[in-house]
Amino acid sequence: MLVLSDQVGIVVSAALLHCCYWTRLKWVPVRPPFHSVFVAHLLFFASRVSFFFGGALFSAIFFRHLPELDAFPPLAQAVVKSVYVAATLFGLFCYSLELDRFGKAIEGWPPDRCE
């Protein structure tokens, strides 16, 4: 069972992750420090791997705790926990998109295709 401080930490972390991403996407252009196809490919790889491992971690936690459920939790609690998970996974997806965007810029794509 999550205590209130854990829930506040989850909400604040997810909100901070999303605020940083959307602020950067809206107002900070991507300016590559250098151009390198190899480094760009490493960033593309990191992007895919970060989202893959985030999903795998979610799956491991879900299947680890699934047998502990004797009955479904109350509807409100299930909805809140589902929102936590969805917000966190969406944050990981946004992070992987940002790595893709930076990789495209380093690879040498035109600025309008990096957005």
Side-chain angles (χ1 to χ4, degrees), residues 9-35:
I10 291 170
V11 169
V12 168
S13 298
L16 182 64
L17 179 71
H18 286 285
C19 286
C20 291
Y21 172 74
W22 292 105
T23 301
R24 176 161 169 72
L25 184 68
K26 177 85 173 154
W27 289 300
V28 180
V30 176
R31 291 195 171 82
F34 56 88
H35 292 286

PDB file of all heavy atoms in Angstrom, residues 9-35:
ATOM      1  N   GLY A   9       5.312  11.919  -3.999  1.00  0.00           N
ATOM      2  CA  GLY A   9       6.565  11.797  -4.739  1.00  0.00           C
ATOM      3  C   GLY A   9       6.343  11.347  -6.175  1.00  0.00           C
ATOM      4  O   GLY A   9       6.972  11.866  -7.110  1.00  0.00           O
ATOM      5  N   ILE A  10       5.427  10.411  -6.365  1.00  0.00           N
ATOM      6  CA  ILE A  10       5.124   9.923  -7.719  1.00  0.00           C
ATOM      7  C   ILE A  10       4.505  11.038  -8.555  1.00  0.00           C
ATOM      8  O   ILE A  10       4.909  11.272  -9.699  1.00  0.00           O
ATOM      9  CB  ILE A  10       4.180   8.701  -7.652  1.00  0.00           C
ATOM     10  CG1 ILE A  10       4.906   7.499  -7.059  1.00  0.00           C
ATOM     11  CG2 ILE A  10       3.650   8.359  -9.036  1.00  0.00           C
ATOM     12  CD1 ILE A  10       3.993   6.328  -6.731  1.00  0.00           C
ATOM     13  N   VAL A  11       3.540  11.733  -7.996  1.00  0.00           N
ATOM     14  CA  VAL A  11       2.862  12.807  -8.734  1.00  0.00           C
ATOM     15  C   VAL A  11       3.837  13.930  -9.061  1.00  0.00           C
ATOM     16  O   VAL A  11       3.869  14.422 -10.200  1.00  0.00           O
ATOM     17  CB  VAL A  11       1.649  13.334  -7.931  1.00  0.00           C
ATOM     18  CG1 VAL A  11       1.099  14.612  -8.543  1.00  0.00           C
ATOM     19  CG2 VAL A  11       0.575  12.280  -7.841  1.00  0.00           C
ATOM     20  N   VAL A  12       4.657  14.344  -8.099  1.00  0.00           N
ATOM     21  CA  VAL A  12       5.609  15.432  -8.330  1.00  0.00           C
ATOM     22  C   VAL A  12       6.647  15.025  -9.373  1.00  0.00           C
ATOM     23  O   VAL A  12       6.974  15.799 -10.275  1.00  0.00           O
ATOM     24  CB  VAL A  12       6.286  15.858  -7.001  1.00  0.00           C
ATOM     25  CG1 VAL A  12       7.475  16.768  -7.243  1.00  0.00           C
ATOM     26  CG2 VAL A  12       5.271  16.538  -6.100  1.00  0.00           C
ATOM     27  N   SER A  13       7.152  13.798  -9.289  1.00  0.00           N
ATOM     28  CA  SER A  13       8.148  13.340 -10.265  1.00  0.00           C
ATOM     29  C   SER A  13       7.578  13.281 -11.672  1.00  0.00           C
ATOM     30  O   SER A  13       8.211  13.735 -12.630  1.00  0.00           O
ATOM     31  CB  SER A  13       8.669  11.955  -9.876  1.00  0.00           C
ATOM     32  OG  SER A  13       9.308  12.002  -8.636  1.00  0.00           O
ATOM     33  N   ALA A  14       6.391  12.734 -11.810  1.00  0.00           N
ATOM     34  CA  ALA A  14       5.763  12.650 -13.137  1.00  0.00           C
ATOM     35  C   ALA A  14       5.460  14.047 -13.676  1.00  0.00           C
ATOM     36  O   ALA A  14       5.694  14.330 -14.857  1.00  0.00           O
ATOM     37  CB  ALA A  14       4.488  11.808 -13.078  1.00  0.00           C
ATOM     38  N   ALA A  15       4.965  14.934 -12.823  1.00  0.00           N
ATOM     39  CA  ALA A  15       4.662  16.303 -13.256  1.00  0.00           C
ATOM     40  C   ALA A  15       5.931  17.044 -13.660  1.00  0.00           C
ATOM     41  O   ALA A  15       5.949  17.742 -14.686  1.00  0.00           O
ATOM     42  CB  ALA A  15       3.937  17.060 -12.151  1.00  0.00           C
ATOM     43  N   LEU A  16       7.000  16.882 -12.904  1.00  0.00           N
ATOM     44  CA  LEU A  16       8.272  17.528 -13.235  1.00  0.00           C
ATOM     45  C   LEU A  16       8.826  17.005 -14.554  1.00  0.00           C
ATOM     46  O   LEU A  16       9.294  17.782 -15.398  1.00  0.00           O
ATOM     47  CB  LEU A  16       9.286  17.307 -12.105  1.00  0.00           C
ATOM     48  CG  LEU A  16      10.641  17.967 -12.283  1.00  0.00           C
ATOM     49  CD1 LEU A  16      10.494  19.480 -12.302  1.00  0.00           C
ATOM     50  CD2 LEU A  16      11.569  17.536 -11.161  1.00  0.00           C
ATOM     51  N   LEU A  17       8.745  15.709 -14.749  1.00  0.00           N
ATOM     52  CA  LEU A  17       9.206  15.106 -15.991  1.00  0.00           C
ATOM     53  C   LEU A  17       8.443  15.694 -17.187  1.00  0.00           C
ATOM     54  O   LEU A  17       9.051  16.097 -18.185  1.00  0.00           O
ATOM     55  CB  LEU A  17       9.010  13.588 -15.940  1.00  0.00           C
ATOM     56  CG  LEU A  17       9.413  12.789 -17.162  1.00  0.00           C
ATOM     57  CD1 LEU A  17      10.928  12.759 -17.298  1.00  0.00           C
ATOM     58  CD2 LEU A  17       8.877  11.374 -17.057  1.00  0.00           C
ATOM     59  N   HIS A  18       7.131  15.776 -17.076  1.00  0.00           N
ATOM     60  CA  HIS A  18       6.324  16.300 -18.172  1.00  0.00           C
ATOM     61  C   HIS A  18       6.537  17.804 -18.369  1.00  0.00           C
ATOM     62  O   HIS A  18       6.620  18.272 -19.506  1.00  0.00           O
ATOM     63  CB  HIS A  18       4.846  15.989 -17.961  1.00  0.00           C
ATOM     64  CG  HIS A  18       4.523  14.563 -18.216  1.00  0.00           C
ATOM     65  ND1 HIS A  18       4.451  14.032 -19.479  1.00  0.00           N
ATOM     66  CD2 HIS A  18       4.276  13.532 -17.366  1.00  0.00           C
ATOM     67  CE1 HIS A  18       4.169  12.744 -19.402  1.00  0.00           C
ATOM     68  NE2 HIS A  18       4.063  12.417 -18.133  1.00  0.00           N
ATOM     69  N   CYS A  19       6.643  18.550 -17.279  1.00  0.00           N
ATOM     70  CA  CYS A  19       6.870  19.999 -17.404  1.00  0.00           C
ATOM     71  C   CYS A  19       8.196  20.278 -18.111  1.00  0.00           C
ATOM     72  O   CYS A  19       8.258  21.132 -18.999  1.00  0.00           O
ATOM     73  CB  CYS A  19       6.862  20.668 -16.031  1.00  0.00           C
ATOM     74  SG  CYS A  19       5.228  20.815 -15.304  1.00  0.00           S
ATOM     75  N   CYS A  20       9.233  19.569 -17.731  1.00  0.00           N
ATOM     76  CA  CYS A  20      10.530  19.765 -18.370  1.00  0.00           C
ATOM     77  C   CYS A  20      10.483  19.409 -19.854  1.00  0.00           C
ATOM     78  O   CYS A  20      10.996  20.150 -20.697  1.00  0.00           O
ATOM     79  CB  CYS A  20      11.608  18.937 -17.675  1.00  0.00           C
ATOM     80  SG  CYS A  20      12.011  19.518 -16.031  1.00  0.00           S
ATOM     81  N   TYR A  21       9.856  18.304 -20.172  1.00  0.00           N
ATOM     82  CA  TYR A  21       9.795  17.882 -21.574  1.00  0.00           C
ATOM     83  C   TYR A  21       9.009  18.881 -22.425  1.00  0.00           C
ATOM     84  O   TYR A  21       9.480  19.324 -23.467  1.00  0.00           O
ATOM     85  CB  TYR A  21       9.171  16.488 -21.700  1.00  0.00           C
ATOM     86  CG  TYR A  21       8.935  16.122 -23.147  1.00  0.00           C
ATOM     87  CD1 TYR A  21       9.990  15.773 -23.974  1.00  0.00           C
ATOM     88  CD2 TYR A  21       7.665  16.182 -23.708  1.00  0.00           C
ATOM     89  CE1 TYR A  21       9.790  15.469 -25.310  1.00  0.00           C
ATOM     90  CE2 TYR A  21       7.459  15.877 -25.039  1.00  0.00           C
ATOM     91  CZ  TYR A  21       8.528  15.523 -25.836  1.00  0.00           C
ATOM     92  OH  TYR A  21       8.323  15.235 -27.160  1.00  0.00           O
ATOM     93  N   TRP A  22       7.801  19.222 -21.994  1.00  0.00           N
ATOM     94  CA  TRP A  22       6.947  20.079 -22.814  1.00  0.00           C
ATOM     95  C   TRP A  22       7.509  21.499 -22.900  1.00  0.00           C
ATOM     96  O   TRP A  22       7.374  22.154 -23.940  1.00  0.00           O
ATOM     97  CB  TRP A  22       5.515  20.078 -22.295  1.00  0.00           C
ATOM     98  CG  TRP A  22       4.892  18.732 -22.505  1.00  0.00           C
ATOM     99  CD1 TRP A  22       4.647  17.781 -21.556  1.00  0.00           C
ATOM    100  CD2 TRP A  22       4.482  18.159 -23.762  1.00  0.00           C
ATOM    101  NE1 TRP A  22       4.103  16.662 -22.146  1.00  0.00           N
ATOM    102  CE2 TRP A  22       3.988  16.861 -23.484  1.00  0.00           C
ATOM    103  CE3 TRP A  22       4.482  18.607 -25.072  1.00  0.00           C
ATOM    104  CZ2 TRP A  22       3.503  16.027 -24.485  1.00  0.00           C
ATOM    105  CZ3 TRP A  22       3.992  17.768 -26.068  1.00  0.00           C
ATOM    106  CH2 TRP A  22       3.510  16.496 -25.769  1.00  0.00           C
ATOM    107  N   THR A  23       8.153  21.973 -21.843  1.00  0.00           N
ATOM    108  CA  THR A  23       8.800  23.288 -21.885  1.00  0.00           C
ATOM    109  C   THR A  23       9.937  23.279 -22.887  1.00  0.00           C
ATOM    110  O   THR A  23      10.069  24.189 -23.703  1.00  0.00           O
ATOM    111  CB  THR A  23       9.310  23.679 -20.489  1.00  0.00           C
ATOM    112  OG1 THR A  23       8.205  23.708 -19.587  1.00  0.00           O
ATOM    113  CG2 THR A  23       9.986  25.035 -20.512  1.00  0.00           C
ATOM    114  N   ARG A  24      10.766  22.259 -22.832  1.00  0.00           N
ATOM    115  CA  ARG A  24      11.882  22.159 -23.774  1.00  0.00           C
ATOM    116  C   ARG A  24      11.385  22.017 -25.209  1.00  0.00           C
ATOM    117  O   ARG A  24      11.913  22.651 -26.116  1.00  0.00           O
ATOM    118  CB  ARG A  24      12.778  20.976 -23.417  1.00  0.00           C
ATOM    119  CG  ARG A  24      13.887  20.786 -24.432  1.00  0.00           C
ATOM    120  CD  ARG A  24      15.011  19.948 -23.890  1.00  0.00           C
ATOM    121  NE  ARG A  24      15.937  19.568 -24.912  1.00  0.00           N
ATOM    122  CZ  ARG A  24      16.799  20.377 -25.512  1.00  0.00           C
ATOM    123  NH1 ARG A  24      16.833  21.648 -25.194  1.00  0.00           N
ATOM    124  NH2 ARG A  24      17.621  19.939 -26.436  1.00  0.00           N
ATOM    125  N   LEU A  25      10.379  21.229 -25.414  1.00  0.00           N
ATOM    126  CA  LEU A  25       9.848  21.024 -26.756  1.00  0.00           C
ATOM    127  C   LEU A  25       9.297  22.325 -27.337  1.00  0.00           C
ATOM    128  O   LEU A  25       9.502  22.629 -28.510  1.00  0.00           O
ATOM    129  CB  LEU A  25       8.753  19.954 -26.733  1.00  0.00           C
ATOM    130  CG  LEU A  25       8.169  19.560 -28.081  1.00  0.00           C
ATOM    131  CD1 LEU A  25       9.216  18.835 -28.928  1.00  0.00           C
ATOM    132  CD2 LEU A  25       6.958  18.672 -27.891  1.00  0.00           C
ATOM    133  N   LYS A  26       8.627  23.117 -26.509  1.00  0.00           N
ATOM    134  CA  LYS A  26       7.976  24.344 -26.975  1.00  0.00           C
ATOM    135  C   LYS A  26       8.966  25.490 -27.185  1.00  0.00           C
ATOM    136  O   LYS A  26       8.876  26.202 -28.178  1.00  0.00           O
ATOM    137  CB  LYS A  26       6.908  24.741 -25.952  1.00  0.00           C
ATOM    138  CG  LYS A  26       6.190  26.015 -26.245  1.00  0.00           C
ATOM    139  CD  LYS A  26       5.043  25.799 -27.157  1.00  0.00           C
ATOM    140  CE  LYS A  26       4.257  27.095 -27.270  1.00  0.00           C
ATOM    141  NZ  LYS A  26       3.550  27.184 -28.497  1.00  0.00           N
ATOM    142  N   TRP A  27       9.907  25.680 -26.255  1.00  0.00           N
ATOM    143  CA  TRP A  27      10.696  26.910 -26.272  1.00  0.00           C
ATOM    144  C   TRP A  27      12.196  26.752 -26.484  1.00  0.00           C
ATOM    145  O   TRP A  27      12.895  27.737 -26.650  1.00  0.00           O
ATOM    146  CB  TRP A  27      10.469  27.692 -24.983  1.00  0.00           C
ATOM    147  CG  TRP A  27       9.113  28.303 -24.916  1.00  0.00           C
ATOM    148  CD1 TRP A  27       8.592  29.208 -25.786  1.00  0.00           C
ATOM    149  CD2 TRP A  27       8.108  28.058 -23.954  1.00  0.00           C
ATOM    150  NE1 TRP A  27       7.317  29.537 -25.415  1.00  0.00           N
ATOM    151  CE2 TRP A  27       6.996  28.850 -24.284  1.00  0.00           C
ATOM    152  CE3 TRP A  27       8.026  27.253 -22.822  1.00  0.00           C
ATOM    153  CZ2 TRP A  27       5.826  28.852 -23.550  1.00  0.00           C
ATOM    154  CZ3 TRP A  27       6.872  27.262 -22.082  1.00  0.00           C
ATOM    155  CH2 TRP A  27       5.780  28.051 -22.451  1.00  0.00           C
ATOM    156  N   VAL A  28      12.709  25.552 -26.447  1.00  0.00           N
ATOM    157  CA  VAL A  28      14.162  25.373 -26.582  1.00  0.00           C
ATOM    158  C   VAL A  28      14.457  24.634 -27.879  1.00  0.00           C
ATOM    159  O   VAL A  28      14.164  23.447 -28.001  1.00  0.00           O
ATOM    160  CB  VAL A  28      14.743  24.601 -25.372  1.00  0.00           C
ATOM    161  CG1 VAL A  28      16.247  24.428 -25.526  1.00  0.00           C
ATOM    162  CG2 VAL A  28      14.407  25.298 -24.066  1.00  0.00           C
ATOM    163  N   PRO A  29      15.063  25.318 -28.848  1.00  0.00           N
ATOM    164  CA  PRO A  29      15.406  24.630 -30.102  1.00  0.00           C
ATOM    165  C   PRO A  29      16.592  23.683 -29.892  1.00  0.00           C
ATOM    166  O   PRO A  29      17.409  23.883 -28.995  1.00  0.00           O
ATOM    167  CB  PRO A  29      15.774  25.772 -31.049  1.00  0.00           C
ATOM    168  CG  PRO A  29      16.209  26.874 -30.144  1.00  0.00           C
ATOM    169  CD  PRO A  29      15.428  26.725 -28.878  1.00  0.00           C
ATOM    170  N   VAL A  30      16.646  22.673 -30.716  1.00  0.00           N
ATOM    171  CA  VAL A  30      17.748  21.720 -30.633  1.00  0.00           C
ATOM    172  C   VAL A  30      18.899  22.254 -31.476  1.00  0.00           C
ATOM    173  O   VAL A  30      18.762  22.436 -32.686  1.00  0.00           O
ATOM    174  CB  VAL A  30      17.319  20.329 -31.145  1.00  0.00           C
ATOM    175  CG1 VAL A  30      18.489  19.368 -31.144  1.00  0.00           C
ATOM    176  CG2 VAL A  30      16.199  19.791 -30.299  1.00  0.00           C
ATOM    177  N   ARG A  31      20.022  22.509 -30.821  1.00  0.00           N
ATOM    178  CA  ARG A  31      21.228  22.952 -31.518  1.00  0.00           C
ATOM    179  C   ARG A  31      22.326  21.936 -31.216  1.00  0.00           C
ATOM    180  O   ARG A  31      22.807  21.863 -30.087  1.00  0.00           O
ATOM    181  CB  ARG A  31      21.644  24.331 -31.047  1.00  0.00           C
ATOM    182  CG  ARG A  31      20.674  25.403 -31.486  1.00  0.00           C
ATOM    183  CD  ARG A  31      21.287  26.781 -31.341  1.00  0.00           C
ATOM    184  NE  ARG A  31      20.455  27.786 -31.945  1.00  0.00           N
ATOM    185  CZ  ARG A  31      19.395  28.341 -31.358  1.00  0.00           C
ATOM    186  NH1 ARG A  31      19.045  27.964 -30.160  1.00  0.00           N
ATOM    187  NH2 ARG A  31      18.703  29.270 -31.971  1.00  0.00           N
ATOM    188  N   PRO A  32      22.711  21.185 -32.206  1.00  0.00           N
ATOM    189  CA  PRO A  32      23.714  20.150 -31.948  1.00  0.00           C
ATOM    190  C   PRO A  32      25.095  20.766 -31.697  1.00  0.00           C
ATOM    191  O   PRO A  32      25.484  21.715 -32.369  1.00  0.00           O
ATOM    192  CB  PRO A  32      23.715  19.339 -33.238  1.00  0.00           C
ATOM    193  CG  PRO A  32      23.264  20.290 -34.287  1.00  0.00           C
ATOM    194  CD  PRO A  32      22.288  21.212 -33.609  1.00  0.00           C
ATOM    195  N   PRO A  33      25.839  20.225 -30.728  1.00  0.00           N
ATOM    196  CA  PRO A  33      27.193  20.724 -30.466  1.00  0.00           C
ATOM    197  C   PRO A  33      28.176  20.288 -31.552  1.00  0.00           C
ATOM    198  O   PRO A  33      29.215  20.904 -31.724  1.00  0.00           O
ATOM    199  CB  PRO A  33      27.554  20.115 -29.111  1.00  0.00           C
ATOM    200  CG  PRO A  33      26.657  18.930 -28.971  1.00  0.00           C
ATOM    201  CD  PRO A  33      25.423  19.213 -29.771  1.00  0.00           C
ATOM    202  N   PHE A  34      27.840  19.236 -32.277  1.00  0.00           N
ATOM    203  CA  PHE A  34      28.669  18.714 -33.363  1.00  0.00           C
ATOM    204  C   PHE A  34      27.809  17.791 -34.206  1.00  0.00           C
ATOM    205  O   PHE A  34      26.675  17.492 -33.852  1.00  0.00           O
ATOM    206  CB  PHE A  34      29.899  17.965 -32.815  1.00  0.00           C
ATOM    207  CG  PHE A  34      29.544  16.849 -31.882  1.00  0.00           C
ATOM    208  CD1 PHE A  34      29.292  15.572 -32.359  1.00  0.00           C
ATOM    209  CD2 PHE A  34      29.433  17.069 -30.509  1.00  0.00           C
ATOM    210  CE1 PHE A  34      28.945  14.534 -31.509  1.00  0.00           C
ATOM    211  CE2 PHE A  34      29.085  16.046 -29.652  1.00  0.00           C
ATOM    212  CZ  PHE A  34      28.844  14.777 -30.149  1.00  0.00           C
ATOM    213  N   HIS A  35      28.344  17.353 -35.335  1.00  0.00           N
ATOM    214  CA  HIS A  35      27.627  16.412 -36.203  1.00  0.00           C
ATOM    215  C   HIS A  35      28.405  15.108 -36.269  1.00  0.00           C
ATOM    216  O   HIS A  35      29.603  15.099 -36.518  1.00  0.00           O
ATOM    217  CB  HIS A  35      27.465  16.987 -37.616  1.00  0.00           C
ATOM    218  CG  HIS A  35      26.546  18.164 -37.653  1.00  0.00           C
ATOM    219  ND1 HIS A  35      25.182  18.037 -37.544  1.00  0.00           N
ATOM    220  CD2 HIS A  35      26.792  19.485 -37.763  1.00  0.00           C
ATOM    221  CE1 HIS A  35      24.634  19.236 -37.589  1.00  0.00           C
ATOM    222  NE2 HIS A  35      25.589  20.134 -37.725  1.00  0.00           N
TER     223      HIS A  35
END
